[in-house]
Amino acid sequence: MGLIVGLEEKLPSGFLLTTVEKLAGYMRKNSLWPATFGLACCAIEMMAAGAGRYDLARFGMEVFRASPRQADLMIVAGRVSNKMAPVVRQIYDQMAAPKWTIAMGACASSGGMFNNYAIVQGVDHIIPVYIYLPGCPPRPEMLMDAILKLHEQIGNEKLGPNREKIIKEVEAAALAAKPTHQLKGLLA
Ligand code: SF4
């Protein structure tokens, strides 16, 4: 089965071999459709990434969908208020599986400067996060870089028993990690 168009014609045998995992990863990473979904100032940068100057379309990943049923990438662009958290979760649940997420900016990743009762201190409290994108706000180039890095992750994702093994390893590592209340940061 040929993965690179034209390459198979140059090989003497006329075909390429690959694994189901690699083929699925290749197709998934090249058909990411983000949900149209912005929460705060970071969303302006996300919109700029899709507009003419930065032109996300160059990478074939600009098809923002208004319905979560047609999207498989959630870019959480901005701070998540406690009031908005159930809505974010509902949109995530309505998206087609397999699905991926990017926490765009300091607020979505950790609450940012809003260390208060109204803001969720990191969207990973309500949905799984695949990429944390730093910055306040991150520039459109940074968002593109994050999506390309996510492409790499998706391309190497495992399936079946291999996937279950990795999930168990990640879970064990998370359980062994230091609890966040014991971490010391700038404000501690
Ligand atoms: S990270 Fe900065 S730009 Fe992004 S939502 Fe928070 S305050 Fe706004």
Side-chain angles (χ1 to χ4, degrees):
M1 190 162 305
L3 277 189
I4 303 168
V5 177
L7 179 61
E8 56 269 56
E9 281 159 25
K10 294 191 172 47
L11 296 175
S13 52
F15 65 91
L16 286 176
L17 293 177
T18 185
T19 61
V20 173
E21 260 174 5
K22 284 208 173 115
L23 181 63
Y26 178 82
M27 291 196 289
R28 284 174 174 174
K29 78 174 187 178
N30 286 298
S31 59
L32 267 191
W33 285 4
T36 307
F37 177 68
L39 292 171
C41 10
C42 273
I44 303 297
E45 301 296 315
M46 182 177 70
M47 287 180 239
R53 180 163 181 170
Y54 294 97
D55 195 12
L56 206 55
R58 284 177 293 159
F59 302 97
M61 53 196 184
E62 84 292 5
V63 196
F64 280 83
R65 308 308 295 179
S67 164
R69 286 171 301 166
Q70 298 168 354
D72 54 5
L73 171 62
M74 174 181 268
I75 303 170
V76 183
R79 55 196 167 269
V80 184
S81 64
N82 280 325
K83 199 171 176 184
M84 196 65 183
V87 182
V88 173
R89 180 69 213 198
Q90 186 172 4
I91 294 174
Y92 177 79
D93 286 339
Q94 288 174 338
M95 283 167 53
K99 50 197 163 188
W100 298 272
T101 54
I102 294 175
M104 181 180 179
C107 290
S109 300
S110 66
M113 69 181 94
F114 301 96
N115 187 4
N116 62 40
Y117 64 88
I119 300 298
V120 176
Q121 299 299 295
V123 72
D124 52 6
H125 288 272
I126 48 175
I127 55 170
V129 171
Y130 287 74
I131 299 261
Y132 295 88
L133 178 54
C136 176
R139 289 182 52 86
E141 297 96 325
M142 294 170 71
L143 177 60
M144 287 171 165
D145 184 56
I147 299 178
L148 290 172
K149 292 231 161 40
L150 183 62
H151 278 191
E152 281 172 32
Q153 273 191 40
I154 295 171
N156 293 321
E157 262 184 17
K158 304 289 178 202
L159 297 176
N162 291 343
R163 185 176 173 80
E164 280 163 24
K165 190 169 154 236
I166 287 186
I167 289 172
K168 277 192 190 138
E169 283 170 7
V170 170
E171 241 173 37
L175 287 172
K178 205 172 187 179
T180 46
H181 69 272
Q182 287 178 10
L183 295 175
K184 298 279 181 229
L186 289 175
L187 300 175

